[in-house]
Amino acid sequence: MSQVELANNEILTDAKPSHEVTLFAEPVMHIGNFTITNSLLSGWLVVVLVIVLSFVIRMKISRIPGKLQSLFEIVIEGALELCDQVTGQRTLSLKVFPVVFSVFFFVLLNNWLGLLPGVGSVGFYEMHNGVNTFIPLFRGGTADINTTLALGFLAVIGSNVFGVIVVGFWKTFNKYINLTALSHMVTKVRKDLSVLIVSPITFFVGLIEAVGEIAKVASLSFRLFGNIFAGEVLLMSMAMIMKYIVPVPFLFLEVFVGLIQALIFSLLSLVYFTIAAQDHSEHDESHEHKEAHA
């Protein structure tokens, strides 16, 4: 055996195992140029779980509900009533509910998956810069900023697509780039000179609305990621102080936090869908009609 091989063996032998909490998801395998991370594996696992659970529930549905079906009916009816309080009408709730409720379950299961035994502790070791680093095989999907950013984009883009379907492309586009307000500077300036001041302000308010859509993505994604990632760091810190008893209260706290964060994310998504489905131009036209008859 050469001296170089002996030196490498000594490095491997002397390298101490290390497990660091990273903001990024660790790669666990590669398929060609496609990298599969531990958070992506967790997300796939949740998707498979939701699909299997959906098929099981679908097969168990009957006219005379059993205990499991009755439980789900109570949950769905309660969720629909909560949607009604936001949308104000059942017809709109029925349109948005399948998307929002699916997002709620996906986020909730990802939040809770990181709390299961083995998640974060089952994995393998790899050498990185001479350090034998532990790579967990699974990691909570929502503890990865990539997952929460994707969910944020889904909520914001999906709400705007829903707005196009409900109120039309022109009205949705005009909400952000208000060409109608600029046209009023030509068509209504003879009757009302104040339109020269109001219309430019209305146009720039629309541009601010467009910037606000980007802010919604950041708000949704960073709030969810920050709370779930901080919870995992907290549990790991408590486990390093004392492995037994001490982490248990914090574990139950994170179960509650995971539920609350999933509820907040889905409710905010519901609010965005509801706002996108409102026709603001009709309100403006009715307001102008009342002023004309005043």
Side-chain angles (χ1 to χ4, degrees):
M1 185 177 292
S2 64
Q3 292 182 352
V4 175
E5 290 176 343
L6 287 171
N8 290 335
N9 288 335
E10 289 177 0
I11 292 174
L12 290 172
T13 304
D14 295 337
K16 296 180 179 179
S18 172
H19 184 197
E20 299 178 354
V21 180
T22 59
L23 285 171
F24 56 89
E26 298 93 340
V28 295
M29 65 180 71
H30 298 271
I31 300 177
N33 294 326
F34 183 72
T35 302
I36 298 177
T37 63
N38 44 19
S39 65
L40 183 59
L41 279 179
S42 300
W44 287 350
L45 181 61
V46 169
V47 171
V48 172
L49 181 62
V50 170
I51 293 174
V52 171
L53 184 63
S54 301
F55 275 106
V56 171
I57 295 173
R58 179 67 182 86
M59 294 173 62
K60 296 290 185 180
I61 290 179
S62 62
R63 291 185 177 274
I64 303 176
K67 294 181 179 179
L68 182 62
Q69 183 176 337
S70 299
L71 176 62
F72 274 96
E73 287 179 358
I74 292 172
V75 171
I76 291 175
E77 186 60 33
L80 266 174
E81 290 178 359
L82 183 61
C83 284
D84 291 341
Q85 295 179 20
V86 177
T87 60
Q89 50 182 316
R90 177 54 67 94
T91 54
L92 182 59
S93 297
L94 292 175
K95 293 178 181 179
V96 182
F97 181 76
V99 176
V100 175
F101 198 62
S102 299
V103 169
F104 170 77
F105 258 104
F106 180 79
V107 174
L108 179 65
L109 293 177
N110 270 290
N111 292 348
W112 283 353
L113 183 65
L115 305 177
L116 294 177
V119 177
S121 59
V122 174
F124 55 93
Y125 285 92
E126 279 189 356
M127 291 298 299
H128 291 286
N129 299 323
V131 178
N132 198 16
T133 305
F134 177 75
I135 306 295
L137 189 60
F138 292 99
R139 172 179 178 163
T142 47
D144 179 16
I145 187 63
N146 295 299
T147 304
T148 57
L149 275 174
L151 289 169
F153 276 112
L154 173 66
V156 174
I157 295 176
S159 64
N160 283 279
V161 171
F162 182 72
V164 171
I165 295 173
V166 175
V167 301
F169 174 78
W170 172 249
K171 291 179 179 179
T172 303
F173 175 80
N174 203 59
K175 182 172 66 172
Y176 303 116
I177 302 178
N178 201 332
L179 299 179
T180 303
L182 294 180
S183 67
H184 288 170
M185 296 176 65
V186 178
T187 58
K188 297 183 178 181
V189 66
R190 294 182 179 180
K191 298 179 180 180
D192 187 6
L193 290 176
S194 63
V195 76
L196 295 175
I197 299 175
V198 175
S199 291
I201 294 175
T202 305
F203 177 78
F204 283 109
V205 167
L207 297 180
I208 295 174
E209 284 282 343
V211 176
E213 294 298 296
I214 302 175
K216 288 178 183 178
V217 175
S219 174
L220 285 171
S221 57
F222 284 103
R223 179 191 295 109
L224 180 59
F225 164 72
N227 281 278
I228 302 305
F229 179 77
E232 291 192 355
V233 173
L234 174 64
L235 288 176
M236 184 172 293
S237 301
M238 293 299 103
M240 294 181 69
I241 295 173
M242 184 176 291
K243 293 184 178 180
Y244 305 103
I245 300 176
V246 172
V248 173
F250 296 95
L251 183 63
F252 283 102
L253 175 64
E254 289 307 312
V255 171
F256 180 71
V257 169
L259 175 62
I260 293 300
Q261 290 303 315
L263 184 62
I264 290 174
F265 192 96
S266 57
L267 282 178
L268 287 175
S269 301
L270 176 62
V271 170
Y272 299 155
F273 274 82
T274 304
I275 293 174
Q278 293 176 354
D279 190 353
H280 299 281
S281 62
E282 288 185 359
H283 179 269
D284 295 337
E285 290 174 359
S286 63
H287 182 68
E288 292 175 359
H289 184 72
K290 289 179 180 178
E291 288 182 345
H293 288 78

